[in-house]
Amino acid sequence: MGKRWWVVIAGVLVVGVWSARHNDEPKAAPEAAVSTKAKPTSTPTPAAPTKSSPTAEPSANPVGNWYDDYDPAHFAVQVRKSAKQAGVNPQLLMAILYNEDYKPHTPEFERSWQRMKPDASFGIANMHRAALNETKRGRFANRQWEELPDHPDLAIQAAAWHLHDLADRLPANRSAKLTKDELLALGYNAGAGNMRAFARGAHLGSQVQTYLDRLHTNWSKSGTAVS
């Protein structure tokens, strides 16, 4: 019995010492007292995005990120401006954007895809590195292919001038089977050499024909978008 009491007394002493030490430890300050700065009563206005070059134009779709609800028609202003500068049909340029809207244009997605496929195209106009490097000479030489996913305005400008350059490569005498705009669209898709062959009456092939069919499907709404 005496032994049992000594055990009980020893336990009480241990608990008492622990409680005293615990109560002496400094307590953490309440959450509200951690910062002395007053919380803002309203959401701060975000800083305006900086432009990487004077050639970039503000997006016509101001709500959220432009790629959250992407539609080529949102960039009708930029399409009309770039088409006028390059001397190409704005309806054709808009139709090209619709034709190239077969995959997501989220910048993160495009970069991930390019890591798996290094020769992939970039931007809303799906332009390859070589095409951009050739097109930008003497126009916007300081811009880089890697910028295209983040700058749809640059992609539109580059596509317009690329169509302009393709028009310069059309043969003087060509078949009446395809219009100039159809040939330029096919040149955009298949390259200048193939475009010249098509202009002379060469067979299109299934993939090229599919691109042309898609152009015809998108033609009417493209005209509406830029009107």
Side-chain angles (χ1 to χ4, degrees):
M1 186 75 168
K3 217 176 213 186
R4 240 185 253 160
W5 276 107
W6 276 110
V7 172
V8 171
I9 292 168
V12 170
L13 287 173
V14 169
V15 171
V17 170
W18 180 87
S19 298
R21 288 183 63 186
H22 182 71
N23 289 335
D24 289 339
E25 287 177 1
K27 292 183 174 59
E31 188 178 352
V34 171
S35 173
T36 56
K37 293 181 181 179
K39 294 184 178 178
T41 56
S42 61
T43 305
T45 303
T50 57
K51 297 179 182 178
S52 59
S53 165
T55 59
E57 296 293 330
S59 172
N61 182 22
V63 179
N65 294 314
W66 63 265
Y67 47 81
D68 289 339
D69 182 26
Y70 173 64
D71 182 337
H74 293 161
F75 293 95
V77 172
Q78 290 89 333
V79 166
R80 286 194 297 266
K81 179 178 179 180
S82 291
K84 183 177 180 180
Q85 289 174 340
V88 298
N89 183 355
Q91 186 172 4
L92 170 63
L93 181 55
M94 180 62 78
I96 293 291
L97 296 184
Y98 273 113
N99 265 35
E100 300 299 335
D101 187 26
Y102 59 84
K103 67 182 175 69
H105 288 302
T106 305
E108 299 271 337
F109 173 87
E110 290 208 334
R111 288 195 174 88
S112 297
W113 180 252
Q114 197 269 339
R115 281 192 288 270
M116 294 186 293
K117 189 178 178 184
D119 63 342
S121 54
F122 260 178
I124 61 174
N126 282 332
M127 186 168 281
H128 290 277
R129 185 191 297 270
L132 187 278
N133 288 342
E134 185 177 347
T135 301
K136 72 179 186 176
R137 292 174 188 163
R139 292 163 180 154
F140 39 93
N142 62 319
R143 307 304 295 274
Q144 303 300 319
W145 178 72
E146 289 82 2
E147 296 180 62
L148 290 176
D150 300 292
H151 297 278
D153 306 317
L154 174 62
I156 292 168
Q157 184 183 27
W161 282 109
H162 187 41
L163 290 170
H164 170 275
D165 294 345
L166 287 169
D168 286 344
R169 298 176 191 177
L170 281 171
N173 298 317
R174 56 181 185 263
S175 168
K177 189 165 66 171
L178 296 168
T179 67
K180 178 182 177 181
D181 283 340
E182 288 174 330
L183 285 169
L184 293 179
L186 296 184
Y188 193 93
N189 174 249
N194 286 320
M195 176 192 70
R196 291 173 64 85
F198 300 146
R200 295 189 179 102
H203 179 66
L204 297 185
S206 60
Q207 287 189 339
V208 174
Q209 184 63 56
T210 297
Y211 194 86
L212 184 61
D213 292 342
R214 204 155 69 237
L215 186 83
H216 293 157
T217 299
N218 293 325
W219 195 252
S220 178
K221 65 180 177 182
S222 299
T224 301
V226 296
S227 61

